[in-house]
Amino acid sequence: MAMYLHPLIASVPPDERAALIRSSALHSYRRNEIVLQADTHTDRIYCVATGLLRAVDRDVTTDFIRRGDFFLGPSLGENSYQATSTLVAALPSSVYHLPVAAVRRLCALYPEVTMGLLEIAMKRVAMVRGQLRRIASLSSESLVSRVLHELTQLAPAATGGYDKRITQAVIASYSGLSREVVNKTMRDMESRGLVRRDDQGVHVPPTFASTDFGSLPPEARELSDELCAWDGDRPETP
């Protein structure tokens, strides 16, 4: 993803885009490498060019930052901020480091940039709230199913499904379950043909989707209802 193609700055004049690119730097990170440590003061905003990052707070993954998304501080009122979460590469990633000062300047000149950043921040808050609701209300299998489906959107594999390099430990830290419970749940789903693996990815059926990710086609919705009814009769996974 070239910075000048990012929708957020697509309407900014070419000279302003060029100035932002000159003041920014592209860094590459290995899987599990720390991009930004919690409590660190930084004057950068982080934009994912390729790969996937995860925000971690006390060993819990609270959010994923996918290609084209930004990680920024709680406020753009200053030219620097203190990170409240640790930013880790969930997959090998390339990340643009944009100066906060340069982005603040664009916000002051072009309201559409401000609105774009606000929309990104609102979507992230909604995503975190939705995940908290799922953790509080769903059975282990339903919760893992939703997370696996979400990963097909966040870290798609070339052959479909999600990238197999996303570990069960990451799934556990995002779902609020232990790694043992995630492992048992996924093995059970695999034995029933609901999860399939190949050399590139982990494949899950569209029935794992829910209204959190959009509507299902009629045939998938019927099967999803059957699975949910069956799951409701199962004892809760400890």
Side-chain angles (χ1 to χ4, degrees):
M1 178 191 67
M3 278 299 301
Y4 63 86
L5 292 177
H6 194 284
L8 186 65
I9 59 171
S11 61
V12 172
D15 58 335
E16 295 281 10
R17 292 201 301 268
L20 179 62
I21 293 168
R22 286 195 300 270
S23 65
S24 303
L26 181 64
H27 295 264
S28 296
Y29 296 92
R30 300 182 300 275
R31 185 165 67 95
N32 296 326
E33 187 174 359
I34 292 177
V35 177
L36 177 66
Q37 186 70 52
D39 299 324
T40 299
H41 288 271
T42 180
D43 62 355
R44 300 284 148 164
I45 290 173
Y46 302 86
C47 177
V48 179
T50 61
L52 181 71
L53 307 182
R54 60 190 183 100
V56 181
D57 186 2
R58 298 180 181 87
D59 297 325
V60 175
T61 297
T62 59
D63 191 15
F64 288 100
I65 299 91
R66 73 175 88 185
R67 181 180 183 270
D69 273 355
F70 292 83
F71 179 85
L72 60 161
S75 170
L76 285 177
E78 304 289 340
N79 287 337
S80 65
Y81 61 93
Q82 186 174 9
T84 57
S85 301
T86 297
L87 200 57
V88 183
L91 293 173
S93 302
S94 299
V95 182
Y96 284 102
H97 293 210
L98 288 69
V100 175
V103 175
R104 290 183 67 219
R105 179 178 179 278
L106 289 181
C107 288
L109 293 173
Y110 306 100
E112 60 270 26
V113 176
T114 305
M115 295 303 296
L117 286 174
L118 178 60
E119 183 177 351
I120 289 171
M122 291 174 66
K123 285 181 178 178
R124 180 153 300 130
V125 169
M127 181 178 177
V128 172
R129 286 179 174 172
Q131 182 62 6
L132 290 175
R133 285 196 301 270
R134 291 192 289 271
I135 290 173
S137 62
L138 295 179
S139 68
S140 297
E141 178 164 317
S142 295
L143 179 56
V144 170
S145 298
R146 300 307 195 266
V147 171
L148 297 188
H149 180 271
E150 188 171 353
L151 288 172
T152 67
Q153 315 299 310
L154 294 168
T159 57
Y162 69 86
D163 195 307
K164 69 175 184 178
R165 291 173 293 181
I166 300 293
T167 66
Q168 290 183 357
V170 169
I171 294 170
S173 90
Y174 184 54
S175 63
L177 302 170
S178 70
R179 189 184 181 282
E180 290 75 19
V181 169
V182 170
N183 178 267
K184 179 180 182 299
T185 302
M186 290 185 66
R187 282 192 289 109
D188 181 55
M189 289 192 291
E190 192 168 7
S191 71
R192 288 152 46 210
L194 296 176
V195 171
R196 178 177 60 83
R197 307 168 192 266
D198 61 23
D199 291 340
Q200 298 297 320
V202 179
H203 301 261
V204 299
T207 52
F208 280 4
S210 72
T211 53
D212 294 306
F213 310 108
S215 59
L216 294 169
E219 64 276 9
R221 191 180 304 113
E222 290 175 6
L223 180 55
S224 180
D225 291 341
E226 292 174 6
L227 286 173
C228 288
W230 180 86
D231 183 62
D233 293 333
R234 293 187 66 190
E236 195 74 11
T237 301

